[in-house]
Amino acid sequence: MRRTPLELAAIATAAVPGLSPTAAAYSPDDDADFDSALLLDAEGKRWRVRSPRHPEASTRLETEFMVLRAFAPAIRAELPFHVPTIAGTVRQGALTTFVYAHLQGSMLSIDELSAGSPALAKEVGAALAAIHDLPLTLVTNADLPSYSANEFRQRKLNELDQAATTGKIPATLLRRWEHALEDVALWRFNPSVVHGDLHEDNLMVQDDAVTALTGWTDLRIGDPADDFAWLVASNEASFVESVLSHYTQARREIPDAHLLRRSALLAEFALAQYLVKAMAAGHQSMTAEAESMLQALADDIDEQARRDEEAAQAAEDEAAENEAAQHEANHLGAADSRADKPAVSVAAIPDAEESGGSEESGPGTTSHDDTSTAAISVVSVTPLHAAERS
């Protein structure tokens, strides 16, 4: 059963001795995993409460606790944003609720971020670069997951097999994802530290600046594309391109060329993971929602494939028409050339006296051997197929 903000405020007083909340409000979070609230105390300070809804979510919060402890003061000082500080915890049965000191800034939707200033896009790109440039030892010393590029790809293949067993993934998507995961060249990247659960709700923004990043429950070494997947939801391509450009400039190493392609794939595949998670939890409404989103995605992909096929066919038809028109023009040009010349060379008949009565034609008789037109080369136009356009 979901806890209300007032119930979370009461729990927080047990986690932080002396805390006296005077107001409480809902805080956006992963609703399937956590109940969250923002609190205001008598001194005007703000706090955030995250209470897990099941044991797996509680384990994630305990992992985040270890992660945040690994952010030593020297590492925190180098980051262009703040990371949370845990003020207290309280255990209730198998679940542990965490209370955090509030961080400045507010959460913006992906549409609000996309409509922001160029300075905000630069801030987002710089924040992503700072995460991915963190020392790998931050993860390895905390005994957190670490994956090579091939291990990461194989892990996704295993997850795809698991999702396929549900029988609820449209065939279009299964084929699309399997083909992409088998393209080894697409998965050549240098593993880096990744946030692992980055989305707009974990991004704190104030005055066109990224003030803090929260939700460090899935820190690991893996694919940097994981942290870009949430950007795919933006309808502003210019925003995504600007973020990537500033990210590339800020990184210590050049990102791989397939970063955004993998990000789009991972964003799609997240729907399958959501379905598997919903079915495992026996959550019928979440399962129905996941099925609906997967079918909508499959329909969009099928529609785009149909449009690409029609465009390719139209290009082929146009090329054939152009070739036929050129051939006809060449044919008419040849006919006109022949029409401009007399079919037979005609010479004046000499007087009998001048010819001397000879019936043979003289050396001045016009020859009509050169009546052929010059050869014309015809260029065959190859249509641009949909696959090549993409």
Side-chain angles (χ1 to χ4, degrees), residues 33-382:
D33 295 331
F34 306 104
D35 295 322
S36 295
L38 290 177
L39 309 180
L40 181 68
D41 68 12
E43 298 178 358
K45 294 182 180 179
R46 301 190 177 206
W47 311 80
R48 188 186 186 202
V49 186
R50 298 188 85 193
S51 184
R53 306 198 70 198
H54 50 80
E56 190 272 335
S58 185
T59 301
R60 289 176 61 193
L61 289 183
E62 291 168 3
T63 299
E64 182 184 40
F65 181 65
M66 291 192 304
V67 170
L68 295 179
R69 289 179 61 185
F71 279 101
I75 294 177
R76 289 176 181 252
E78 291 183 359
L79 294 173
F81 51 80
H82 294 289
V83 296
T85 299
I86 296 176
T89 66
V90 59
R91 191 169 186 86
Q92 297 173 302
L95 308 179
T96 302
T97 295
F98 285 73
V99 180
Y100 305 81
H102 182 66
L103 297 167
Q104 292 296 323
S106 58
M107 302 171 191
L108 301 180
S109 69
I110 186 65
D111 292 334
E112 290 172 327
L113 286 170
S114 301
S117 69
L120 181 55
K122 181 178 180 179
E123 284 276 311
V124 175
L128 286 166
I131 297 171
H132 298 165
D133 280 337
L134 284 169
L136 301 182
T137 53
L138 180 71
V139 173
T140 56
N141 289 345
D143 200 25
L144 295 172
S146 176
Y147 304 99
S148 66
N150 188 58
E151 287 171 341
F152 185 82
R153 184 180 72 90
Q154 188 59 52
R155 185 167 177 250
K156 292 301 174 185
L157 279 168
N158 295 340
E159 291 175 358
L160 178 60
D161 290 339
Q162 181 184 9
T165 61
T166 65
K168 297 180 180 295
I169 309 293
T172 296
L173 298 181
L174 288 176
R175 289 193 300 269
R176 176 183 176 86
W177 296 338
E178 184 176 14
H179 177 74
L181 287 168
E182 289 178 349
D183 182 3
V184 178
L186 184 63
W187 301 91
R188 288 176 183 154
F189 60 85
N190 291 327
S192 70
V193 175
V194 296
H195 182 282
D197 189 32
L198 193 60
H199 49 77
E200 58 271 27
D201 289 345
N202 286 333
L203 207 66
M204 308 295 290
V205 177
Q206 185 177 43
D207 297 332
D208 288 337
V210 175
T211 56
L213 287 182
T214 62
W216 297 85
T217 58
D218 294 296
L219 191 75
R220 58 179 175 264
I221 294 174
D223 187 357
D226 258 348
D227 289 343
F228 277 85
W230 65 284
L231 285 172
V232 175
S234 172
N235 293 321
E236 295 293 335
S238 60
F239 172 73
V240 179
E241 292 170 0
S242 181
V243 170
L244 180 62
S245 174
H246 291 298
Y247 168 82
T248 302
Q249 295 172 21
R251 281 293 314 263
R252 292 179 187 146
E253 62 181 44
I254 299 176
D256 68 278
H258 301 301
L259 179 67
L260 284 186
R261 286 186 61 196
R262 290 198 311 279
S263 299
L265 174 68
L266 293 172
E268 292 179 7
F269 192 61
L271 296 180
Q273 294 171 309
Y274 181 60
L275 172 68
V276 171
K277 186 175 182 178
M279 293 183 66
H283 204 302
Q284 294 183 355
S285 61
M286 284 176 56
T287 300
E289 181 184 29
E291 286 186 76
S292 176
M293 290 190 293
L294 285 164
Q295 188 58 57
L297 175 61
D299 291 342
D300 288 345
I301 291 173
D302 288 338
E303 176 64 18
Q304 186 60 48
R306 184 187 64 79
R307 291 178 182 175
D308 290 345
E309 186 176 352
E310 289 178 354
Q313 185 61 51
E316 290 180 1
D317 293 344
E318 182 179 1
E321 290 175 3
N322 290 340
E323 187 174 356
Q326 183 65 40
H327 180 75
E328 181 66 18
N330 294 340
H331 177 73
L332 292 175
D336 289 343
S337 176
R338 288 193 297 270
D340 290 340
K341 298 180 180 180
V344 178
S345 296
V346 179
I349 298 176
D351 293 335
E353 293 85 3
E354 295 174 352
S355 63
S358 173
E359 296 180 356
E360 297 179 359
S361 58
T365 304
T366 303
S367 170
H368 44 86
D369 292 335
D370 190 19
T371 59
S372 64
T373 58
I376 299 176
S377 59
V378 178
V379 178
S380 177
V381 179
T382 303

